[in-house]
Amino acid sequence: MGNTEEKYVKQAFDTNWVAPLGPNVDSFEVAIKDYVGSGVHAAALSSGTAAIHLALEILGVSAGDEVLCQSFTFSASANPIMYLGATPIFVDSESETWNISPELLEKAIKERIKLGKKPKAIVAVHLYGMPYNVKEIARISNEYDIPVVEDSAEALGSSVDGVKCSSFGAIGILSFNGNKIITTSGGGALVSKKKEYKDQSVFLATQARDNAPHYQHSHVGYNYRMSNILAGIGRGQMEVLDDRVNARRANFELYDDNLKGIDGIELLYEPEGYFSNRWLSCILTPSFEVREKIREFLLEHNIESRPLWKPMHMQPIFEGYPSYTNGTSEDFFERGLCLPSGSNLDSKDVLRVIELIKTVL
Ligand SMILES: *Cc1c(COP(=O)(O)O)cnc(C)c1O
């Protein structure tokens, strides 16, 4: 936490705004909107997963539809496709950004159309804070007229050519879960340049109440709004967001300075114009065996590290669905490791991790 979260939470108590609406929710939304820029509107919700669910529903996804989804991601990118009774079609990654491959995406779209079903949406993810290939994905989205849900859960503070992530897709989503770069303990946001999408998301997130003096409903609604207490935490966290980004980028730089080129260790670099919040610092090792040796050796020293995300097309729950793969994410999953990356690590901590990794190598 920074210094002002408690002040905003106390304001909520002092004014008795203990509800899923109130001044903190309004101010938090303004803070997100101002930070992201590009004329977006923001709706504060109960989670990033809820935001993806509403985004897909607002874009017209319903039972029986197909939705293209980056395979190399956390399961929350794909689960809302299932909530809606739609079919996920998984697309593998490119090595430049580790995110959805434009080439495979276009191939998948062409093939699905040939098979008689045009996908309703594309879920693209800025994994670990590194932006996906925003130019190519936007071109494909425009050319085939398929909207993008931009999963920016891990990428608040990241940008391409100075344009912030979550403003590129038809709808962007953010997460304020406890593990993200800033947190409200749990929470999320839906972000869009279209005000009607924000308004629709707030309507659906508050039980879809029609405009009448009594309770009247002509849509199925959800209870997905953010509480005014948690939005108070969010207001305080927005004030330290850039500090958190700087701290995480400093972690990455220290890892990079000390590990690059050593015994086949690879790091992910920013393409020209790209800026990553470096939510997690990750490395690729030469092999699964080396990866496991490093992970286990760190664990023996009471340091947690984790394999990269297991691709969705390899997950027991999703492996039966169509996928367009090229081996990239499977290779990353085998060889890759997320290193300690917290904003509160100091350089001594990071150097200790580096020394242990070097010992294994
Ligand atoms: C965390 C995360 C989500 C989900 O956000 P929650 O707020 O935890 O529901 C979605 N996608 C990705 C890539 C994430 O890392």
Side-chain angles (χ1 to χ4, degrees):
M1 292 290 104
N3 297 318
T4 58
E5 288 85 349
E6 264 186 302
K7 176 185 85 183
Y8 295 123
V9 171
K10 188 170 183 302
Q11 276 174 18
F13 275 80
D14 291 347
T15 54
N16 215 20
W17 274 105
V18 182
L21 80 169
N24 278 337
V25 174
D26 298 340
S27 298
F28 185 37
E29 289 180 346
V30 170
I32 296 169
K33 164 190 157 81
D34 289 347
Y35 184 85
V36 172
S38 299
V40 298
H41 306 270
L45 301 172
S46 55
S47 72
T49 311
I52 297 173
H53 188 184
L54 294 183
L56 291 171
E57 180 157 336
I58 288 166
L59 295 173
V61 175
S62 61
D65 287 336
E66 293 190 348
V67 175
L68 296 152
C69 182
Q70 181 167 325
S71 184
F72 193 41
T73 186
F74 176 49
S75 66
S77 305
N79 282 333
I81 301 169
M82 308 294 281
Y83 303 166
L84 290 161
T87 303
I89 311 286
F90 294 109
V91 180
D92 213 330
S93 286
E94 57 170 10
S95 53
E96 291 84 352
T97 64
W98 294 8
N99 292 311
I100 192 163
S101 154
E103 212 174 298
L104 275 184
L105 176 65
E106 196 159 14
K107 183 180 164 200
I109 292 171
K110 282 183 181 156
E111 196 170 313
R112 300 325 289 179
I113 291 173
K114 233 192 227 157
L115 289 169
K117 214 167 220 178
K118 184 171 146 180
K120 273 284 179 69
I122 300 162
V123 180
V125 188
H126 306 297
L127 213 60
Y128 302 119
M130 182 63 77
Y132 61 72
N133 185 337
V134 290
K135 257 199 201 126
E136 268 301 287
I137 300 305
R139 178 192 66 76
I140 293 167
S141 165
N142 288 332
E143 189 166 330
Y144 296 90
D145 195 24
I146 305 174
V148 173
V149 174
E150 184 192 353
D151 183 341
S152 311
E154 301 177 2
L156 181 56
S158 302
S159 60
V160 178
D161 294 332
V163 179
K164 290 255 164 50
C165 288
S166 78
S167 69
F168 292 104
I171 297 178
I173 75 93
L174 298 169
S175 168
F176 308 108
N177 196 38
N179 59 341
K180 299 304 200 291
I181 190 142
I182 59 165
T183 183
T184 58
S185 74
L190 182 145
V191 174
S192 182
K193 286 178 189 160
K194 283 201 182 161
K195 181 153 186 303
E196 64 188 270
Y197 287 168
K198 180 209 160 157
D199 294 343
Q200 269 176 283
S201 72
V202 171
F203 169 74
L204 290 171
T206 51
Q207 308 287 21
R209 255 188 94 182
D210 292 344
N211 194 9
H214 54 277
Y215 279 80
Q216 172 148 318
H217 305 276
S218 37
H219 283 272
V220 172
Y222 304 93
N223 185 2
Y224 277 175
R225 199 71 163 122
M226 179 178 280
S227 108
N228 195 54
I229 305 285
L230 301 189
I233 303 178
R235 285 180 75 183
Q237 286 275 280
M238 287 303 289
E239 296 172 12
V240 294
L241 172 54
D242 283 333
D243 297 339
R244 300 293 183 266
V245 172
N246 291 336
R248 295 208 177 218
R249 285 179 64 84
N251 289 339
F252 176 84
E253 260 162 49
L254 207 49
Y255 283 125
D256 183 40
D257 284 347
N258 289 279
L259 292 174
K260 72 175 154 217
I262 294 182
D263 288 326
I265 296 293
E266 297 168 57
L267 295 101
L268 176 62
Y269 296 111
E270 294 157 323
E272 175 88 37
Y274 280 50
F275 181 89
S276 170
N277 68 8
R278 296 291 183 189
W279 175 58
L280 297 188
S281 288
C282 308
I283 53 170
L284 295 176
T285 68
S287 68
F288 172 78
E289 289 71 26
V290 173
R291 201 279 308 279
E292 279 302 279
K293 265 188 200 148
I294 295 174
R295 193 181 64 77
E296 282 160 11
F297 192 64
L298 290 175
L299 202 57
E300 278 168 32
H301 290 81
N302 203 24
I303 295 169
E304 187 186 20
S305 64
R306 275 191 212 158
L308 302 187
W309 297 119
K310 181 173 184 176
M312 292 305 110
H313 70 272
M314 296 172 74
Q315 296 286 355
I317 182 69
F318 292 127
E319 64 192 0
Y321 292 97
S323 59
Y324 293 80
T325 59
N326 55 14
T328 302
S329 62
E330 290 183 31
D331 177 47
F332 291 164
F333 173 58
E334 275 205 349
R335 295 193 291 127
L337 194 64
C338 301
L339 300 175
S341 301
S343 317
N344 54 356
L345 290 177
D346 63 30
S347 56
K348 262 206 333 248
D349 298 324
V350 177
L351 288 169
R352 183 166 160 244
V353 176
I354 289 165
E355 280 320 303
L356 292 169
I357 295 172
K358 281 185 171 170
T359 305
V360 176
L361 291 172

